[in-house]
Amino acid sequence: VRRDGEFYLLKDGDPAEVEAELLASRIARCFDVDQVLYEPDFYDGQRVSKSHIISSPQFSLVPAEYLDIYAANHDTSCAVIIEELDPYGFHMMNIVDYLVGNTDRHWGNWGFYADNSTNRLTKLYPLMDFNKAFTAYDTVDGVRCQTTAQSMSQKDAALLAVRTVGLNQIADIRDDWFKEKAVLEMFRRRLEILKSA
């Protein structure tokens, strides 16, 4: 939708998914990572999450899927390109996804900005799409990390990330943000694991 001259994405769906996205966004703001900010809103009487559109006349989005295809045809790899352009953003993505139990970071849900004037990649576009957060939250390992070249759990990817770039927490996360005790407890367990690293 367009409001006051700006474009926004309104996401609906299962009410639990809307709430998960809003909570995950709130948690992500407590870390030094470039991210889409999701806010609560209503559309046609239904609670939704609202965010600014992140593409623009200056920058296009290049999903990791396209990057993988490019790399396969140019004797390189996604990992090499990430290491050259934005290793910090990549590692912080894995930290936040582990902490909030995001199970939907497939190669269409992350990628790079491309400068439209040069057609060159710049950095990872802001961390986005959290409506599947807290869904695999019954063990501290999480699910298989979808962003790493090597097969590893989300926990192992996050531990590698902390050892590489640090935890980079910039604000406290409050217990009263969580509506479910079990979700709060698992979040605290995961955060303590990363802090100990």
Side-chain angles (χ1 to χ4, degrees):
V1 297
R2 185 187 301 196
R3 292 180 180 169
D4 302 321
E6 295 187 61
F7 287 101
Y8 295 92
L9 172 67
L10 304 181
K11 290 176 65 178
D12 63 356
D14 184 294
E17 291 184 359
V18 173
E19 294 306 317
E21 186 149 68
L22 294 172
L23 176 57
S25 179
R26 198 169 194 183
I27 291 168
R29 294 174 207 213
C30 297
F31 295 86
D32 185 16
V33 61
D34 194 12
Q35 63 195 274
V36 172
L37 304 179
Y38 291 95
E39 300 288 350
D41 206 331
F42 286 88
Y43 182 78
D44 197 25
Q46 184 175 359
R47 187 167 164 88
V48 298
S49 65
K50 177 184 80 170
S51 63
H52 280 96
I53 298 296
I54 59 173
S55 58
S56 69
Q58 291 80 33
F59 294 101
S60 297
L61 307 183
V62 179
E65 175 182 8
Y66 300 173
L67 199 61
D68 234 14
I69 294 168
Y70 172 87
N73 288 287
H74 290 84
D75 293 324
T76 187
S77 69
C78 222
V80 168
I81 295 168
I82 289 164
E83 190 60 36
E84 289 174 356
L85 295 176
D86 195 1
Y88 177 84
F90 177 77
H91 286 300
M92 289 305 299
M93 173 176 62
N94 288 333
I95 289 170
V96 172
D97 277 349
Y98 170 65
L99 287 173
V100 303
N102 182 26
T103 60
D104 198 32
R105 190 65 63 208
H106 56 76
W107 65 356
N109 268 349
W110 67 282
F112 280 84
Y113 270 137
D115 185 325
N116 291 335
S117 65
T118 64
N119 207 31
R120 299 280 183 193
L121 300 180
T122 59
K123 64 174 186 170
L124 286 175
Y125 55 71
L127 195 55
M128 63 171 201
D129 201 351
F130 289 111
N131 63 321
K132 299 296 184 186
F134 311 108
T135 55
Y137 224 49
D138 51 350
T139 70
V140 293
D141 286 338
V143 296
R144 183 193 176 282
C145 182
Q146 296 175 311
T147 62
T148 55
Q150 300 81 25
S151 181
M152 64 178 73
S153 69
Q154 285 180 305
K155 174 186 163 189
D156 288 339
L159 286 169
L160 174 63
V162 168
R163 293 181 185 123
T164 305
V165 300
L167 184 59
N168 303 300
Q169 185 173 353
I170 57 174
D172 292 331
I173 294 128
R174 293 173 40 172
D175 289 357
D176 63 359
W177 295 350
F178 295 79
K179 293 181 179 178
E180 297 178 34
K181 184 179 179 184
V183 171
L184 170 61
E185 288 174 352
M186 179 55 72
F187 173 79
R188 290 291 177 201
R189 285 179 67 189
R190 290 183 179 203
L191 183 59
E192 284 307 311
I193 287 169
L194 298 191
K195 283 183 175 179
S196 70

